[in-house]
């Protein structure tokens, strides 16, 4: 088979933002994740985060997931290259689905999903996280948000407008609205960390 065909068939996707944000996210996760257990990543996308975090936390088992078949292929291709024993094969999971193919998790990660999906995905994520996590278990969210007490950064305003033009059901979410969902589901108040490029790390712990 010609080399060009091999390259063309490579299922690995590249997410440029991953290269920029994975180390700042990792720094927060070092303070958030348990010492041992299963970490479920919802909306793993390319799979680059899953490989990076699994390598950084060898005592944790990482379960990547995504609803998109192309993303699942990319995740498994990156995982195969890394050959990490604590990184499981990707599973198909739609955050908004009434049932998830998971029976429990010690921590849940969701990076850059809530603003690029309908609100029903955020509702499903938090509802299922409340069912799966133990008391004190963290739900870690990352991405841009609207905050009632912080002016929206111009770059985030432009990004929000572009998302809504692509799909009226997408867009930056009000952090207060996400926190209310979490509170109603049995989580405590959000632990918020400012991140590069006007993003936030938001951690909810199961009460």
């Amino acid at each position: 088979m010609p080399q060009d065909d091999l390259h063309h068939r490579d299922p690995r996707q590249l997410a440029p933002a991953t290269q920029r944000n994975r180390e700042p996210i990792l720094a927060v996760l070092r303070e958030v994740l348990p010492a041992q257990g299963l970490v479920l990543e919802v909306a793993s996308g390319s799979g680059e985060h899953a490989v990076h975090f699994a390598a950084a936390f060898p005592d944790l088992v990482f379960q990547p997931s995504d609803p998109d078949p192309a993303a699942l292929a990319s995740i498994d291709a990156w995982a195969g290259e890394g050959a990490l024993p604590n990184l499981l094969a990707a599973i198909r999971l739609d955050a908004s689905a009434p049932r998830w193919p998971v029976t429990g998790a010690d921590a849940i990660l969701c990076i850059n999903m809530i603003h690029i999906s309908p609100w029903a995905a955020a509702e499903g994520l938090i509802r299922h996280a409340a069912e799966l996590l133990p008391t004190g278990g963290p739900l870690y969210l990352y991405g841009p948000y609207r905050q009632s007490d912080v002016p929206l950064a111009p770059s985030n305003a432009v990004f929000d407008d572009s998302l809504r033009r692509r799909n009226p059901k997408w867009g930056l979410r009000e952090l207060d609205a996400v926190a209310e969902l979490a509170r109603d589901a049995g989580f405590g108040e959000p632990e918020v960390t400012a991140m590069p490029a006007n993003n936030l790390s938001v951690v909810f712990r199961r009460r």
Side-chain angles (χ1 to χ4, degrees), residues 7 9 27 29 34 37-38 41 44 61-62 67 79 88 91 94 104 113 120 126 161-163 165:
H7 179 73
R9 292 168 183 264
L29 292 181
L38 177 72
E41 185 183 20
S44 298
V61 176
F62 284 79
L88 304 178
I91 58 173
D94 180 345
M113 181 200 81
I126 291 174
D161 184 59
S162 70
L163 289 173
R165 286 201 307 270

Side-chain angles (χ1 to χ4, degrees), residues 126-200:
I126 291 174
R127 181 178 68 253
H128 288 294
E131 296 169 352
L132 296 175
L133 290 170
T135 300
L139 168 62
Y140 173 88
L141 309 179
Y142 173 90
Y145 290 86
R146 293 178 177 271
Q147 294 174 276
S148 58
D149 56 344
V150 179
L152 188 64
S155 60
N156 277 357
V158 171
F159 183 44
D160 182 49
D161 184 59
S162 70
L163 289 173
R164 295 179 189 277
R165 286 201 307 270
R166 287 168 62 190
N167 188 324
K169 294 182 178 181
W170 294 2
L172 272 62
R173 307 303 181 186
E174 296 284 351
L175 182 57
D176 287 347
V178 177
E180 183 178 1
L181 268 184
R183 197 178 302 117
D184 291 345
F187 287 92
E189 295 303 307
E191 304 163 17
V192 181
T193 303
M195 303 292 279
N198 300 307
N199 290 299
L200 298 177

Side-chain angles (χ1 to χ4, degrees), residues 23-187:
E23 289 301 329
I25 292 174
L26 180 59
V28 176
L29 292 181
R30 291 193 187 281
E31 305 299 321
V32 170
L33 294 182
Q36 295 179 316
L38 177 72
V39 180
L40 170 65
E41 185 183 20
V42 176
S44 298
S46 68
E48 295 166 276
H49 278 134
V51 171
H52 190 66
F53 300 152
F57 297 99
D59 293 330
L60 288 167
V61 176
F62 284 79
Q63 175 63 77
S65 71
D66 205 275
D68 177 41
L72 296 176
S74 176
I75 296 164
D76 286 340
W78 281 114
E81 181 177 276
L84 296 165
N86 62 327
L87 182 57
L88 304 178
I91 58 173
R92 189 165 187 168
L93 186 153
D94 180 345
S96 62
R99 290 184 179 83
W100 282 8
V102 183
T103 57
D106 297 288
I108 295 177
L109 313 180
C110 187
I111 298 169
N112 284 332
M113 181 200 81
I114 285 182
H115 56 286
I116 315 180
S117 58
W119 183 241
E123 293 175 323
L125 170 67
I126 291 174
R127 181 178 68 253
H128 288 294
E131 296 169 352
L132 296 175
L133 290 170
T135 300
L139 168 62
Y140 173 88
L141 309 179
Y142 173 90
Y145 290 86
R146 293 178 177 271
Q147 294 174 276
S148 58
D149 56 344
V150 179
L152 188 64
S155 60
N156 277 357
V158 171
F159 183 44
D160 182 49
D161 184 59
S162 70
L163 289 173
R164 295 179 189 277
R165 286 201 307 270
R166 287 168 62 190
N167 188 324
K169 294 182 178 181
W170 294 2
L172 272 62
R173 307 303 181 186
E174 296 284 351
L175 182 57
D176 287 347
V178 177
E180 183 178 1
L181 268 184
R183 197 178 302 117
D184 291 345
F187 287 92

